[in-house]
Amino acid sequence: MDTRQRELRCLPRQHSSQRLTVNGPEVVDSLLKRLTPSKLEVEQTVKGPVGTERPDERVAPTMNDRLAGTVAEALLITGGERRSVFGAAAVACATALIVGGALVSGAFAVSWGLFLEARRCAESAIEAEGSYAAYAGQMDELLKVAYVVFPLLLLVAWALVAWLFTAQAVTVAHTRESSVADSGAVATRTLTLSALWRRSGPHLGAAFRVQLLTAACAVVPGLAGLLVLAVVDMELVPGVTWPTYHKPATVQFLLVGRALPVVIWTLGLVLISRFSLATAVRVADGCPAVTAMRRSWRLTRMARAYTAGILLLCTAPVGVVIAMSTWLGVHVAHWGGLLMLAVTDDNVWVAGVLVLITPVAVALVLLPLALAPAGVALACLRQRLAHG
């Protein structure tokens, strides 16, 4: 019995010494791993075992994390589906160039006689050595032509915005569907332009109505702000006078004539931001235009700062495109004006009007290139708000 006990006591010492002698570094590493708690063990120590933590103990993402996640997702979708995203933008640019150019050309054709009459009046006044005013007798007729062409151009712009936002919402929905599809359906991940048109077609009518209703809601504060400026200009507000060279601006004028219109116009921007997800809601839910606007209002109610942040980030590419179009529009207007002078036998009145409208036309043609990524970001925002 004593011999057996001595053998049993010696066995652990021999095994331990053998391990330390043969596998010394491995033992040290294993001991360090055992003594150092892992990340999962720390989380389980703080929160409890996996699956037992309470919802209120989870760390909520910050506003910067949410903004960065939405923008990153939008950029990934834009890069992965660039064929459909920028294909839709190219269609919008071509449509703006063709339809807008046709409307402007038609306006020039209708008012061509007025420009010629303005030239004759000016030349006769110069020969008589008298003063003249350009378009003295033709301004009313020219304004009538402008009042017809300008609303038509706005309708074209709203239709193109509806197409862009609808196409980008369909692209985001297609990307989400492809991400949950089986591995055998990888070939269907690419969304062609024809497939994009087929899937966007049923939503275009409702999306166009959404844009019209949103514009109507934004126009009311815009006109109200202009009305305040007109009332102040006519000095109909007691104690508020328009500043002159000899009378500096008073506090009352700064509050009523400057701050109040800005506040009213800001209300219009708030309405646009609250209804900005309506097109994406229509594509996702297939609801009517008014219902989509109501749901957009509800989705953005608890995420006003989040929505405003996304919209501000979306204005960055729009600002870049406007700056580029302004620079490009100056050069296009210069050469366009020279060409118009050569065609019309140095009619400076036609060339002057063309030079004025060319930078705006260039901006409208290039603007879809910036609105396309913005539409992707708004569709991603709707997905995140709808699914928590």
Side-chain angles (χ1 to χ4, degrees):
M1 182 66 66
D2 295 336
T3 304
R4 181 62 177 171
Q5 290 178 355
R6 284 196 299 271
E7 291 176 356
L8 293 175
R9 290 174 183 174
C10 292
L11 284 176
R13 294 195 188 113
Q14 294 173 359
H15 181 67
S16 176
S17 62
Q18 184 179 3
R19 289 178 60 190
L20 292 173
T21 303
V22 178
N23 300 322
E26 288 80 356
V27 172
V28 174
D29 293 340
S30 63
L31 289 175
L32 288 176
K33 291 179 181 179
R34 291 179 183 179
L35 292 175
T36 304
S38 63
K39 182 179 179 180
L40 179 61
E41 292 174 348
V42 172
E43 292 178 355
Q44 290 180 355
T45 303
V46 177
K47 300 181 180 180
V50 176
T52 61
E53 64 269 19
R54 292 174 300 190
D56 56 349
E57 293 178 346
R58 298 176 183 177
V59 179
T62 62
M63 180 62 65
N64 293 333
D65 295 336
R66 299 174 70 186
L67 291 174
T70 305
V71 173
E73 182 183 7
L75 291 177
L76 288 175
I77 294 176
T78 302
E81 298 290 342
R82 56 187 176 274
R83 182 177 179 181
S84 59
V85 172
F86 292 105
V91 171
C93 292
T95 305
L97 181 61
I98 296 172
V99 179
L103 290 175
V104 174
S105 300
F108 271 105
V110 170
S111 57
W112 193 258
L114 300 176
F115 288 111
L116 296 180
E117 182 64 24
R119 178 177 181 174
R120 285 193 294 268
C121 293
E123 290 177 349
S124 62
I126 293 174
E127 291 178 357
E129 297 182 355
S131 62
Y132 72 95
Y135 312 110
Q138 296 80 23
M139 184 57 68
D140 293 338
E141 296 298 327
L142 289 173
L143 288 177
K144 290 179 182 178
V145 176
Y147 290 154
V148 174
V149 175
F150 185 70
L152 293 177
L153 290 176
L154 284 180
L155 288 176
V156 173
W158 286 328
L160 294 179
V161 171
W163 152 249
L164 281 173
F165 284 178
T166 303
Q168 309 320 323
V170 169
T171 302
V172 172
H174 174 79
T175 304
R176 292 296 183 102
E177 294 170 0
S178 300
S179 64
V180 299
D182 297 334
S183 59
V186 175
T188 62
R189 292 179 64 88
T190 302
L191 185 64
T192 61
L193 193 59
S194 59
L196 180 64
W197 174 258
R198 287 194 303 269
R199 294 187 59 174
S200 302
H203 306 290
L204 290 179
F208 183 67
R209 290 191 293 273
V210 166
Q211 298 304 320
L212 289 181
L213 292 175
T214 304
C217 294
V219 162
V220 174
L223 294 178
L226 293 177
L227 179 61
V228 171
L229 292 179
V231 170
V232 172
D233 185 36
M234 292 184 291
E235 297 183 355
L236 299 178
V237 181
V240 178
T241 57
W242 201 272
T244 60
Y245 181 78
H246 300 285
K247 294 182 179 179
T250 61
V251 177
Q252 294 85 348
F253 173 79
L254 294 177
L255 291 176
V256 178
R258 290 292 181 263
L260 184 58
V262 171
V263 172
I264 296 175
W265 291 332
T266 304
L267 177 60
L269 297 177
V270 171
L271 293 176
I272 292 176
S273 67
R274 297 297 297 274
F275 294 134
S276 60
L277 307 182
T279 303
V281 171
R282 158 67 192 187
V283 173
D285 301 338
C287 54
V290 178
T291 305
M293 295 179 70
R294 291 199 190 102
R295 293 181 183 178
S296 175
W297 187 275
R298 287 198 298 267
L299 285 175
T300 56
R301 179 183 301 171
M302 302 304 296
R304 295 185 180 93
Y306 184 25
T307 305
I310 293 296
L311 290 176
L312 288 177
L313 292 175
C314 289
T315 57
V318 175
V320 171
V321 170
I322 291 177
M324 292 178 58
S325 62
T326 302
W327 172 80
L328 183 61
V330 172
H331 297 278
V332 175
H334 172 71
W335 292 106
L338 293 178
L339 180 61
M340 184 61 72
L341 287 175
V343 172
T344 60
D345 193 18
D346 294 336
N347 192 327
V348 295
W349 290 270
V350 180
V353 174
L354 182 65
V355 168
L356 288 177
I357 66 176
T358 298
V360 180
V362 172
L364 291 178
V365 171
L366 297 180
L367 200 58
L369 296 176
L371 290 179
V376 175
L378 292 177
C380 293
L381 177 61
R382 190 219 69 87
Q383 290 276 2
R384 290 173 175 259
L385 293 180
H387 296 87

